[in-house]
Amino acid sequence: MESDKYICIRETSPQNSVVIIDMSMPMQPLRRPITADSALMNPNSRILALKAQVPGSTQDHLQVFNIELKAKMKSHQMTEQVVFWKWITPKTLGIVTQTSVYHWSIEGDSAPVKMFDRTANLANNQIINYRCDPNEKWLVLIGIAPGSPERPQLVKGSMQLFSVDQQRSQALEAHAASFATFRVAGNDKDSTLICFASKSVNAGQVTSKMHVIELGAQPGKPSFTKKQADLFFPPDFADDFPVSMQISNKYGLIYVITKLGLLFVYDLESATAVYRNRISPDPIFLTTEASSEGGFYAINRRGQVLLATVNEATIVPFVSGQLNNLELAVNLAKRGNLPGAEELVVQRFQELFAQTKYKEAAELAAESPRGILRTPDTVAKFQSVPVQAGQTPPLLQYFGTLLTRGKLNVFESLELSRLVVNQNKKNLLENWLAEDKLECSEELGDLVKVGYAPDYLFLLQTILRTDPQGAVNFALMMSQMEGGCPVDYNTITDLFLQRNLIREATAFLLDVLKPNLPEHGYLQTKVLEINLVTFPNVADAILANGIEDPELHFKYIEAAAKTGQIKEVERVTRESNFYDAEKTKNFLMEAKLPDARPLINVCDRFGFVPDLTHYLYTNNMLRYIEGYVQKVNPGNAPLVVGQLLDDECPEDFIKGLILSVRSLLPVEPLVEECEKRNRLRLLTQFLEHLVSEGSQDVHVHNALAAVKAFMTADLPHELIELLEKIVLQNSAFSGNFNLQNLLILTAIKADPSRVMDYINRLDNFDGPAVGDMAVEAQLYEEAFAIFKKFNLNVQAVNVLLDNLQTIDRAVEFAFRVEEDAVWTQVAKAQLREGLVSDAIESFIRADDAAHFLEVIKAAEDADVYHDLVRYLLMVRQKTKEPKVDSELIYAYAKVDRLGEIEEFILMPNVANLPNVGDRLYDEALYEAAKIIFAFISNWAKLAVTLVKLKQFQGAVDAARKANSAKTWKEVCFACVDNEEFRLAQICGLNVIIQVDDLEEVSEFYQNRGCFNELISLMESGLGLERAHMGIFTELGVLYARYRPEKLMEHIKLFSTRLNIPKLIRACDEQQHWKELTYLYIQYDEFDNAATTVMNHSPEAWDHMQFKDVIVKVASVELYYKAVHFYLQEHPDIINDMLNVLALRLDHTRVVDIMRKAGHIQLVKPYMVAVQSNNVSAVNEALNEIYAEEEDYERLRESIDLHDNFDQIGLAQKIEKHELLEMRRVAAYIYKKAGRWKQSIALSKKDNLYKDCMETCSQSGDRELSEDLLVYFIDQGKKECFASCLFVCYDIIRPDVALELAWMNNMIDFAFPYLLQFIREYTGKVDDLIKDKIEAQKEEKAKEKEEKDVIAQQNMYAQLLPLALPAPPMPGMGGGYTPSPPPMPGMGGGYTPSPHMGGMGMPPMPPFGMPPMGGPY
């Protein structure tokens, strides 16, 4: 199923056959017995392609058949096996082998052409699809193979994408793919997209994606942003995969169909998922686009043919409601003209209008689904908007948008026409009417009919572009207008043919040529010519309709000959009885066809055998002479022989020709022809052959005897004497025809001096034959006298011209006889001798128009156009030939008779005016060319002609009518060269809107130094509605070169509409560094921006801008280049820059840079800001600075908060500092580093005893503390001794402290320590006793709780019934058992705990009091 038109099925039972189902008639299948391995039906027509394997090989034989004509069109035997094939276009088959891909066109005789080799990813794949894009520039091949080892059940898909232009392939993973076209907003051309779906396994994860990517993006134009979306497969379809993809151009949707029957629907523009469902319970193996339905056909394994398409009534509400995607709903409605989005569209229109976004509102109204906004209310709404100065009125924006999208309705057409008529721009109406952009109505007709004179040729040209059949109707309407057709029929025909509209041109010509007027002869030939080449059946039908019209038959022969249709010429000359034989013979001789059979037909049928023989002999076509005599008509052989003798053909050829016919040749006429020419001797061999073959024909024997008699008798003089007596003396035989001939012929051979006398005296001889014999004998005067005597004036004048070579006598003779044929011969001779003017005069006297081609050529070579005009005027009276009329116009131009040209072209003529105009232009006859081009409305040529005439305003007006970029460009360049800059700008504005021509215009202006004018042109172009990126960019380049003061403003205003890379190159070349920096920033090229600023700082540097840029650069090295840059050029604000980069910099590297530069102090604020990162280099640098500045407070703070630095090194540097506080910091550093002794020693040295004590306390070292006590005692520092006991309280042993105090008489200073110690330990004992008492209370409470439980149990036991007492249980005697003695330590009263040693004190009584009853 190659399309939605046909399904082709190959049956193998009960016999091999092919069944073709026409989808328009599905119940009437066509079955044909065909044994083939594969059959493909053409997508559009009834053409069938068949493939069958060649027996005994792996090669395949391909054939293409036309079913309707029952004819084989092409066949080819492939040298490889075909593994897949498909119609990729209606005229091309795609053929895939194991290694390569071929294209085979069904047109012509060409063999399949190799397109590319298959890539490695498709090796061992089953090919399932092959496609090409609409322009056949991109090709895609799809194959599938078993899945990967980790998941073999999931089929793997592979794709090869090939670019025809680049001759390159790209291998991708994909199961299905399709090409699409999409018009991106702001682009005037469609973008080619590739859509493909894949499902793959990667590291155990299944990924399903659908991609949409643009191919071959158009430079300088908006491009399609690539899209991708997920394909969500339900769990039950985990191993399912896409097998096909179809694009709906009608709705802009993508259909992805899977093997198990799932359908995914996506929006093409946004790749948004729209719908998913299962459409078939059986596997699907084939799909094709249903273009008219906007959906697709699918065939499943059950053989069902399914049609899937969009429900137009519900899809938009579904997208807006269920999917809640309002934007997509509106786009779908606009794209497919679907219902359901009316409220959304109206609401959006009102929003745009309220925001004064009139252009967007106009576009929305123009595209509104079902035209809901194309109402009088909308027009009135745009009319009500006040027009701003210098801006396009919103109403015109609205109408302009409508015109670019299609046809206006009645109301819109009327309103737009009113605007145009009021502005007196009716030529716009002509264009729109011709393009069928306006809806005609009575009101519109009333509006435009007053004073309207349409340009019919322009209208016809315009209609042709869009509606060829409408153009035919329009042309026929013009042909029936009163006063005649306003446009020449030939011009109309050429317009159709220029666009290869053969059928339309034929339809027009057949209608207008019905009157069969003589002046239409050229057109009759033309209609036959064009159809003989393209549609021979049409030409044949034309001939059949005019079956008895000789002129039509001749025209058919003429057209067939001119177009090389020799078979048709032969057929018609053989079968037709209605053509003019003489005219046809002359034409065929002049045409000099390579095949002489048509001429043979004419001459044989109509008695022109001598002429035929002469033509064939002189053109060295001897084989056709033989063929005619031997096969066509041997009875005419005598005439052929006679003419060959006249043409002095070699005797051997004539003898061979006669012998080849033999008995079929009539002897008597042959003898007569030879006898006339005194060449009977030729027949000897022929006659003897006939006699030897037993011929009894009396004519044969008589002829043989006569020949032998003349040959054996060698008595010419005696014969002359005898004949003179018989003929010249009055005898009975004086007037004998044969004897007079014999006398003169004998004299010619034996005694030429007597010939003239015989001619004068004799009258009854064969003048033509004898005259020819005299010429052969070089008796030219005698021959002239003979011909003259017998009034054979043509032969006579030929003797004068050809033999005597005296043109003067020939002219004199012509004047005397005044015969046209004689004058013709004279004229031809004069023409050969270069006497062109005399020849023209002779032709005019001969009234001979047959040789106009030779005359025209000779007159042009001799430059005698005045005479040529007279001749062509005579010729025109006899024939209607385009060449004649065309040359007459050219001759008028050469003699500067322009008035006659104007009069001539207004009269009926068949001149090829376009060709004449081109010729006049090429030869610089511009005034005449101007007349021609204006008459045929060839505005493009008229414009360039007016340029040559320096009539620039007229050239601009003509260019406006031509409206061709090429014409505008030519006129523009000419105006520039002539410094007509105002007109040049008008033209230039129409050129620069074409992207491809913009650069050429710019270079042209610049090469001529017209810089200001070019800038003015580009500035004007910015306001054009069709202004594109190229204009804005080119103006920027010009500013960069010639107006740098305007460059920055331009860039800032139009940065979004510039081709920034191109402008970057221009700014770089012109060294506009500030602007270059700005462009790099706009283009997100921050690295280049930063580099430019640093390399060209005098112009480009701006601190705030640089800060914004440097944080966005990608290259880390630029950070440090910026550090060096600021250090060298802007050290005063380097910290501001560094703070911006703080999060990105390697602070150690920055510090190293500043150290090497010797300016570490310069970045102190930066280092302070980043010190929180606790970087060693930063800490050390700051500490060094603080040390140098003797800022001990900052240094102490730095050391406290940031410990990542060389502490010992710093301490060693400052421990000998002259400032006490700095040395104190050194001691503090030693303390933090755990070097307690060094810290204490340093503090001792500076008498910083408090620091010594704190260091000891923090160290927790008992020995250091006790040593410090000893130091204080040695130094007599009693107060310090007391303070140290307090500060180091936790680590100083009490016995040591008391011992030192007692021994050194410092008990008073140690007493505070002693009191503290006693109080501390008393509190500890109290806490222990309290804990013990609480434990005893808890034990007693537990015992009481147990007793209460037992008592409760006994109470329940007393309520039981009386019973015998049970025997006592062991250990349970009757009655109350006294409680056991108290457990040790639980008696009444407190049992003292054992002696508590290790506390440095004697045991204490309970509760800290002496026992009760003891002494106090």
Side-chain angles (χ1 to χ4, degrees), residues 11-262:
E11 291 183 341
T12 57
S13 178
Q15 64 174 358
N16 290 331
S17 60
V18 171
V19 180
I20 300 168
I21 299 174
D22 190 330
M23 295 293 284
S24 62
M25 301 180 294
M27 305 309 294
Q28 301 176 27
L30 176 65
R31 181 175 275 101
R32 289 286 183 269
I34 298 173
T35 56
D37 301 329
S38 176
L40 295 177
M41 197 66 185
N42 187 276
N44 286 358
S45 54
R46 297 174 74 83
I47 294 175
L48 182 66
L50 299 173
K51 174 172 72 72
Q53 186 172 354
V54 178
S57 72
T58 60
Q59 300 178 354
D60 283 323
H61 189 70
L62 311 180
Q63 294 183 334
V64 181
F65 286 90
N66 188 314
I67 297 175
E68 288 183 334
L69 300 179
K70 299 181 180 179
K72 181 169 74 173
M73 298 174 63
K74 296 188 77 169
S75 66
H76 181 77
Q77 184 165 322
M78 296 291 293
T79 57
E80 303 176 73
Q81 184 180 5
V82 176
V83 298
F84 182 85
W85 67 329
K86 179 180 176 61
W87 289 101
I88 57 172
T89 72
K91 295 184 178 180
T92 307
L93 278 163
I95 302 170
V96 185
T97 68
Q98 290 289 357
T99 60
S100 307
V101 176
Y102 299 82
H103 284 185
W104 191 26
S105 172
I106 64 173
E107 297 180 332
D109 299 325
S110 61
V113 177
K114 181 177 176 180
M115 300 303 294
F116 59 90
D117 291 322
R118 288 170 56 173
T119 50
N121 69 319
L122 285 170
N124 302 319
N125 272 240
Q126 176 190 347
I127 303 301
I128 62 172
N129 206 350
Y130 178 57
R131 286 184 160 178
C132 70
D133 75 308
N135 297 320
E136 299 182 45
K137 297 294 186 184
W138 294 90
L139 312 172
V140 65
L141 185 65
I142 302 288
I144 57 175
S148 59
E150 56 185 316
R151 192 165 180 176
Q153 65 272 27
L154 180 58
V155 172
K156 180 183 179 183
S158 298
M159 177 177 99
Q160 179 180 357
L161 180 64
F162 180 77
S163 169
V164 177
D165 289 340
Q166 301 176 21
Q167 290 293 301
R168 291 172 56 193
S169 289
Q170 182 175 1
L172 299 166
E173 283 194 12
H175 291 78
S178 184
F179 293 103
T181 56
F182 183 80
R183 181 71 60 87
V184 179
N187 196 335
D188 58 350
K189 295 181 179 178
D190 288 337
S191 298
T192 300
L193 310 181
I194 177 76
C195 313
F196 57 94
S198 63
K199 188 174 183 180
S200 58
V201 179
N202 189 3
Q205 291 293 111
V206 178
T207 304
S208 303
K209 294 285 186 182
M210 200 271 299
H211 303 266
V212 185
I213 300 172
E214 181 175 5
L215 300 173
Q218 305 160 33
K221 296 184 178 180
S223 59
F224 182 89
T225 305
K226 64 180 180 181
K227 309 287 193 314
Q228 72 173 23
D230 292 321
L231 294 170
F232 296 102
F233 283 87
D236 295 344
F237 296 80
D239 295 325
D240 194 11
F241 60 93
V243 294
S244 181
M245 179 182 291
Q246 299 294 339
I247 306 296
S248 170
N249 295 315
K250 183 176 181 181
Y251 303 116
L253 297 174
I254 305 172
Y255 302 120
V256 181
I257 304 98
T258 72
K259 180 180 180 182
L260 297 183
L262 282 181

Side-chain angles (χ1 to χ4, degrees), residues 1059-1115:
N1059 181 345
I1060 292 181
K1062 181 176 180 180
L1063 197 51
I1064 283 175
R1065 292 193 295 272
C1067 289
D1068 193 12
E1069 291 170 1
Q1070 302 299 320
Q1071 301 184 0
H1072 299 309
W1073 310 120
K1074 186 173 183 179
E1075 292 80 359
L1076 179 61
T1077 302
Y1078 184 84
L1079 288 171
Y1080 277 135
I1081 294 171
Q1082 293 299 309
Y1083 202 53
D1084 293 342
E1085 292 281 351
F1086 300 109
D1087 292 46
N1088 289 334
T1091 302
T1092 302
V1093 169
M1094 290 185 282
N1095 292 342
H1096 308 284
S1097 57
E1099 292 183 24
W1101 178 77
D1102 177 82
H1103 180 56
M1104 297 305 293
Q1105 183 189 64
F1106 188 79
K1107 286 199 301 180
D1108 291 339
V1109 170
I1110 197 64
V1111 297
K1112 299 176 183 177
V1113 299
S1115 173

Side-chain angles (χ1 to χ4, degrees), residues 162 960 1011 1055 1119 1286 1296:
F162 180 77
R960 185 177 289 111
F1011 310 124
S1055 59
Y1119 298 154
F1286 178 74
V1296 173

Side-chain angles (χ1 to χ4, degrees), residues 180 301 718 947 1115 1117 1333 1378:
R301 185 173 293 172
E718 289 78 357
V947 163
S1115 173
E1117 288 303 315
I1333 291 173

